[in-house]
Amino acid sequence: MPNYVGKSIPRVDALAKVTGKALFPGDFEMDNQAYLKILFAGRPHAIIHKIDTREAEAYPGVLAVLTAKDVPVNEYGLNVKDQPVLCGPGSTKANADHVCFYGDNIALVIAESEEIASEALKLIKVEFEDLPTISTIYEALKEDAIKIHPEKNDNIFRHYRIRKGDVDEAFKKADVIIESDYETPAQEHAYLQPEAGIGYIDEEGRVTVVVGGQWTHEDREQVAHALDLPEEKVRIIYPAIGGAFGGREDMSVQIVLGLAALYLNRKGINRPVKIVWSREESIIGHHKRHPYFFHAKWGATKEGKVIAAEVDIKTDGGAYIYTSTKVMGNATLMCTGPYEIPNIKVDSYAIYTNNIPNGAFRGFGGPQGAFEAECQMNKLAEALHIDPVEIRKKNLLREKSLLSVGTPIPPGVSIEKVVEKTALSGGWKNENNSWMQDPKKKLTNTSDKYLHRGRGFACAFKNVGFSFGAPESCTAIIELHGKEKIEKVIVRHAGAEVGQGSHTVFKQMAADALNIPIEKVQLTTSDTASTENSGSVSASRMTFMAGNSIRGAAQMALSKWENEERPAISTYTYYPPKTTPYDPETGKCEPNFSYGYVAEVADVEVNTETGQIKILNVICGDDVGKAINPQLVAGQVEGAVVQAAGYTLLEKFIQKNGYVETRTLSTYLIPTILDVPDQIQSVILEYPDPIGPYGARGMGEMPFLPLAGAIIAAVHDATGIWFNRFPLTPEEVLKGLGKI
Ligand code: MOS
C-alpha cells in the first residue's frame, strides 16, 4: 500500500537544481529576443510634467520606448489598484503623473541588447517638479502634511479597531501594568534570484509571461487588467523560482514584460522581450517587510492572569497599498498573542509615506504583532516573578477560547502542548504542577568576563490560509490514464514551487490519495494555460489547500475510473470554512479557518565589550499537524529561524528622505554561514488539524514568528536590559548597555 505521506522522499526538483538543469526565469533565452530596461524615478516624490523620449528612440538598436501613454489601463495593485504601471503624463489614470517613491517606473526601453537599452535610458529627459518628501509616519500624520495620494484626503489608508470587554475597568483591577513602545524594522527579502522574466506572444496569440511569482492566476488578472485584455488572452508560466518569502506576491516585471511584448506585436514586431533585474534594481523595485510601531499597555493579576491589553499600532505602508491592509489585519489579531484575554482594545493604522511600498514577507504581520505580544508577556512574567512558561500556561488559548475578535478559535488548538513540549526540550521542567528552568540544564557562563549567556522563551499562533473574508479556494485537476490498471496519473495544479517543496508534497499526497506508486504521478504545474486557480503560495496555505484539493480530485477521479471512464478526469475545488472581515466598530469577525502553533527557546551569548550577539541554540517546537515530508518541514524551520535571526540581529534596511542607502548586499547584511545559530533543533509536533489534509496545518511562516521575542528575552536574561526595538546590531547593543 503506498504510504508516502510522512516520509522524507527526495524533492522532485532536487536533481535539476543541483545539476544546474533547472531553468529560472533569468535563464530563458528565446530566438530573436529583445531586452527591456526600466527607467526608475530615482526620486521619492514629484510630479512629472514632461517626458521626452525622442533621443532614446533614435538611438541605434532601440526598438521602442514606452511611457504612461502607452499603457492601456495604467493602474495595478494586488488589493487596490492604486499604482500606475508607468508614472507620467498622458494616461487615463488620474494622478499617474505623480511619482510616490524612488522605484516608481517611468519608462521602458526595448532594445537589441541590454547595453543598448541601458545607454538609451540615459537619453530620456524627464521634467520633474519635486514635492516635499514624507519619510516617516510621524511626518505623514501631521495636520498640514502633503497628501501623498491627492485624491484621498488622508495619509491614513486603513484603521482597524478591536473592542472586547472593558480595558479601562480591567486596568483598575490589575496588580501590575506593563506599558512600552516597540519598533520593528523593515526587511528585504533578499531571495537568491532577483526578478527576471521573458514576455512573448504564444502560438495561440496569448500575451505570455515567464516569471517568478507566488500566484499565477492573480498575476494573470493584473496583467490582463493593465493591458485591457480578457484573461484568456494572457498566460503566466512559472519555471523554477529562486525564493519568494512574500516578496513576489506583488507585481514586479510581470506587467511591463506583457506590455512590451504586446506593444511590439501590435507594431508588427513579433519578438520575445527579456528582462533581468540587478540586485540593486531588485532592492529598489520590490516591497519590503513593514516597519511597525506599537504602544502597548497590558495588565495582569498577581497570579499572572492577563486581564487587559491595549495596543496602538502604526505601520508605514510606503507609497502604495500593496498588501498593507491584509498584513495589518494579521498584526492586529496577533498583537495580543496566542492568549485568551478578556478585555482588549486595539487600534491600528496603515499610513502612506514616500518610502518603498511595504508588503508581504514571511509571517505577514504576524512577526511584528508577536514581537510586541511576547515582549509584553515576558515583562509581565519578570514583574510578577513568575516563570515565562508558567505565565503563558495561565493565559494560552484553548479549545473554544474566545479570540480578541469575539469569536471562538477553530478546533484543534494545540498551543498549550506546543509550549510544554518546547519548554521541556529547551531546559524547563514541570515540578509540582509548576514550570521552571531545570537547574541542571541552565546555561552557564564561560570564564570570559565579557560573555554573558541568556535564555529566552516566546510562542505564537499564525493563520493558515487567507483571512478576513478574502475569497479562498484551491483547484486541482487529476487525470487517470490506462486501460485495466492506472498506468499514469497527471496532476494539474497551479501551486507555485518557490523552493519550499510544494511540488514534492503535491506528489506525495496525490500518490496516497490514489493509492498508487508515486512513480506513476506526473505533475503539470504553474501555467495558467493548463491549470486552474490554486490561490497563492502564501499565508502558509499551500500544503493545506492543495492537499484538500488533490484529495477531492483524486476521490472524484477514482469513482469515474470505477465507472469505466478512460481517461478519468476530474476537477475539484476545495473551499474551506468561510471567514469574515473586521467589524468596523468592534472588530468582531471570524478571522481564519485554521492556525499553526509554535514556540521557541533561544540561547544567546552577548559580548558586552563588542556588542556582538551569538545565537548558541534555537529550539523550535512547531505543530505542523502532520509532517507530509519531515525533512522539508525541518528545512522550513531552519530557513525561517535563520531568516528571523537575520531580522533580529543583523538586517538593517536604511531609507533616508525616501532614498535607499542599502542598495546592495554589501551594505544590507543578511546572515552568512558564520551568522547562523550554532544549533537549531526542530521539534516537529503533529496534533492534527481537524480539516487539514492528513491532519496537516501550514508551517512555512510559523517558525519565523516568535524568534525576535525569544532572542530579546534571552538578551535580557544575559544583560538585564530590555531592548524594545531591533535589529540588535553591536552598536544598538552597546547603546542599550550604556557603553556608547
Ligand atoms: Mo506570504 S508573506 O503570506 O507570501
Side-chain angles (χ1 to χ4, degrees):
M1 283 293 114
N3 189 7
Y4 299 100
V5 165
K7 293 210 171 70
S8 296
I9 68 158
R11 293 176 60 129
V12 297
D13 50 345
L15 196 63
K17 282 181 177 164
V18 298
T19 56
K21 288 212 174 79
L23 293 181
F24 293 81
D27 300 328
F28 279 78
E29 306 287 350
M30 291 176 74
D31 287 343
N32 208 21
Q33 69 195 11
Y35 295 83
L36 180 63
K37 284 293 273 188
I38 297 171
L39 178 68
F40 293 95
R43 61 186 70 212
H45 202 191
I47 298 173
I48 299 176
H49 290 302
K50 207 174 146 203
I51 306 176
D52 184 346
T53 59
R54 283 171 300 181
E55 259 187 75
E57 278 165 47
Y59 193 78
V62 170
L63 300 169
V65 180
L66 276 55
T67 60
K69 67 181 184 335
D70 302 305
V71 189
V73 180
N74 193 17
E75 60 174 19
Y76 75 102
L78 185 55
N79 291 307
V80 181
K81 293 181 170 56
D82 64 342
Q83 183 170 5
V85 177
L86 297 177
C87 284
S91 77
T92 51
K93 169 112 167 137
N95 298 317
D97 55 351
H98 275 60
V99 166
C100 294
F101 82 106
Y102 188 92
D104 261 324
N105 294 191
I106 292 181
L108 309 177
V109 175
I110 311 166
E112 293 292 346
S113 73
E114 207 175 358
E115 295 68 32
I116 294 171
S118 301
E119 285 307 309
L121 277 188
K122 298 177 197 156
L123 302 174
I124 299 173
K125 295 196 181 72
V126 186
E127 251 180 66
F128 291 104
E129 175 194 335
D130 285 319
L131 297 171
T133 300
I134 296 196
S135 55
T136 66
I137 57 166
Y138 305 107
E139 291 164 42
L141 292 175
K142 282 187 190 152
E143 198 99 353
D144 58 347
I146 188 167
K147 303 299 173 255
I148 292 174
H149 293 280
E151 71 279 12
K152 298 191 178 163
N153 51 16
D154 203 339
N155 287 327
I156 297 175
F157 59 89
R158 187 59 61 90
H159 173 199
Y160 294 128
R161 293 157 57 98
I162 293 179
R163 298 291 183 271
K164 180 190 185 192
D166 184 340
V167 282
D168 295 326
E169 275 308 305
F171 280 127
K172 288 182 198 156
K173 296 183 195 130
D175 295 307
V176 56
I177 289 175
I178 297 288
E179 199 166 354
S180 300
D181 290 300
Y182 300 96
E183 281 182 42
T184 65
Q187 188 182 21
E188 153 64 29
H189 302 81
Y191 20 65
L192 280 175
Q193 174 221 322
E195 290 77 355
I198 195 157
Y200 60 96
I201 310 298
D202 80 353
E203 61 287 353
E204 292 189 30
R206 288 175 290 215
V207 172
T208 303
V209 181
V210 178
V211 69
Q214 294 180 232
W215 186 356
T216 47
H217 288 69
E218 170 62 31
D219 285 5
R220 181 175 71 170
E221 197 271 321
Q222 291 197 61
V223 172
H225 178 84
L227 302 189
D228 202 17
L229 293 174
E231 287 188 25
E232 317 81 76
K233 298 301 277 178
V234 176
R235 178 180 179 188
I236 305 289
I237 301 171
Y238 294 165
I241 299 168
F245 314 117
R248 299 191 204 274
E249 275 203 54
D250 290 272
M251 295 293 98
S252 54
V253 296
Q254 288 88 331
I255 296 174
V256 294
L257 280 172
L259 176 64
L262 181 66
Y263 183 90
L264 290 187
N265 177 263
R266 286 182 174 166
K267 297 262 178 233
I269 306 168
N270 240 322
R271 296 181 63 176
V273 182
K274 178 172 174 169
I275 192 167
V276 180
W277 274 3
S278 65
R279 180 62 66 181
E280 188 171 343
E281 287 172 315
S282 174
I283 288 178
I284 62 166
H286 78 254
H287 66 269
K288 305 291 164 258
R289 183 190 293 282
H290 292 82
Y292 266 74
F293 304 84
F294 297 91
H295 180 79
K297 180 180 173 189
W298 289 32
T301 64
K302 58 181 182 304
E303 292 78 30
K305 178 71 195 135
V306 181
I307 53 172
E310 186 173 346
V311 187
D312 177 274
I313 303 177
K314 293 186 178 67
T315 178
D316 180 348
Y320 300 102
I321 292 179
Y322 283 56
T323 49
S324 284
T325 53
K326 309 278 177 188
V327 168
M328 191 169 77
N330 271 3
T332 302
L333 184 69
M334 283 145 203
C335 76
T336 44
Y339 309 113
E340 184 164 25
I341 302 173
N343 302 287
I344 292 179
K345 181 179 176 205
V346 184
D347 283 278
S348 53
Y349 304 89
I351 300 158
Y352 286 125
T353 65
N354 293 117
N355 290 326
I356 291 188
N358 293 307
F361 197 143
R362 203 173 201 164
F364 209 75
Q368 293 96 321
F371 173 69
E372 169 272 325
E374 294 307 283
C375 287
Q376 286 292 100
M377 196 51 113
N378 283 328
K379 288 180 186 179
L380 281 172
E382 184 197 28
L384 291 164
H385 305 287
I386 301 178
D387 177 87
V389 173
E390 181 67 20
I391 196 170
R392 284 177 172 79
K393 290 270 300 170
K394 294 175 195 289
N395 292 285
L396 288 170
L397 292 166
R398 294 181 169 81
E399 294 293 349
K400 300 199 170 76
S401 283
L402 283 191
L403 291 163
S404 61
V405 289
T407 53
I409 186 150
V413 185
S414 60
I415 183 71
E416 192 173 3
K417 284 179 260 180
V418 171
V419 163
E420 288 177 2
K421 300 268 183 200
T422 310
L424 286 174
S425 299
W428 269 262
K429 65 173 183 175
N430 181 2
E431 210 169 82
N432 306 326
N433 243 343
S434 113
W435 287 80
M436 63 197 75
Q437 280 201 52
D438 186 340
K440 285 189 247 124
K441 295 182 184 162
K442 276 211 164 162
L443 286 171
T444 47
N445 282 325
T446 61
S447 57
D448 188 326
K449 66 174 177 169
Y450 294 119
L451 297 181
H452 296 264
R453 292 181 164 181
R455 174 170 288 163
F457 191 94
C459 60
F461 73 141
K462 168 74 185 54
N463 59 296
V464 178
F466 299 156
S467 314
F468 302 114
E472 176 60 301
S473 69
C474 187
T475 301
I477 305 168
I478 290 189
E479 300 176 7
L480 307 180
H481 297 267
K483 289 195 180 113
E484 301 294 302
K485 280 173 55 185
I486 300 171
E487 304 295 342
K488 182 174 84 175
V489 175
I490 297 173
V491 177
R492 297 182 190 276
H493 205 285
E497 170 62 78
V498 292
Q500 84 281 44
S502 58
H503 290 175
T504 305
V505 301
F506 291 179
K507 234 177 163 173
Q508 288 177 267
M509 294 189 291
D512 270 22
L514 294 162
N515 200 20
I516 51 153
I518 202 161
E519 298 73 33
K520 292 192 176 175
V521 181
Q522 293 176 13
L523 295 178
T524 298
T525 49
S526 303
D527 179 347
T528 57
S530 52
T531 61
E532 296 291 332
N533 199 345
S534 63
S536 61
V537 279
S538 67
S540 297
R541 67 186 279 287
M542 194 47 88
T543 300
F544 185 104
M545 296 296 293
N548 279 323
S549 68
I550 287 169
R551 293 221 296 178
Q555 210 175 10
M556 280 172 63
L558 284 177
S559 64
K560 287 185 177 180
W561 181 267
E562 275 157 33
N563 289 335
E564 310 287 329
E565 277 188 44
R566 300 290 185 271
I569 300 175
S570 67
T571 302
Y572 178 83
T573 302
Y574 170 70
Y575 295 94
K578 288 224 167 1
T579 62
T580 56
Y582 283 119
D583 177 86
E585 296 305 318
T586 64
K588 188 161 185 188
C589 63
E590 313 231 21
N592 296 294
F593 55 84
S594 168
Y595 292 90
Y597 300 95
V598 60
E600 281 170 348
V601 175
D603 291 346
V604 306
E605 185 173 81
V606 184
N607 185 323
T608 55
E609 186 67 2
T610 65
Q612 278 174 309
I613 296 174
K614 181 178 160 101
I615 304 175
L616 304 171
N617 190 17
V618 173
I619 287 143
C620 175
D622 188 2
D623 178 15
V624 304
K626 173 76 189 172
I628 306 293
N629 185 316
Q631 198 177 13
L632 289 178
V633 167
Q636 286 289 298
V637 170
E638 288 167 18
V641 165
V642 170
Q643 202 167 37
Y647 178 51
T648 313
L649 298 184
L650 200 59
E651 298 184 34
K652 196 165 182 176
F653 190 76
I654 304 171
Q655 290 182 87
K656 283 206 179 127
N657 295 321
Y659 288 82
V660 182
E661 302 208 333
T662 45
R663 298 182 192 193
T664 59
L665 296 182
S666 57
T667 49
Y668 181 81
L669 302 183
I670 60 170
T672 68
I673 193 65
L674 297 176
D675 305 297
V676 306
D678 287 356
Q679 223 187 134
I680 300 171
Q681 234 171 294
S682 116
V683 181
I684 300 173
L685 302 167
E686 297 183 301
Y687 302 106
D689 185 305
I691 56 169
Y694 307 95
R697 302 169 189 267
M699 61 76 52
E701 298 168 294
M702 286 64 175
F704 195 110
L705 268 73
L707 195 71
I711 290 176
I712 294 283
V715 171
H716 172 263
D717 189 37
T719 64
I721 309 284
W722 283 114
F723 287 87
N724 290 336
R725 61 176 201 192
F726 59 94
L728 291 186
T729 56
E731 189 184 18
E732 193 72 16
V733 172
L734 291 178
K735 270 190 211 157
L737 294 173
K739 296 211 170 168
I740 53 173

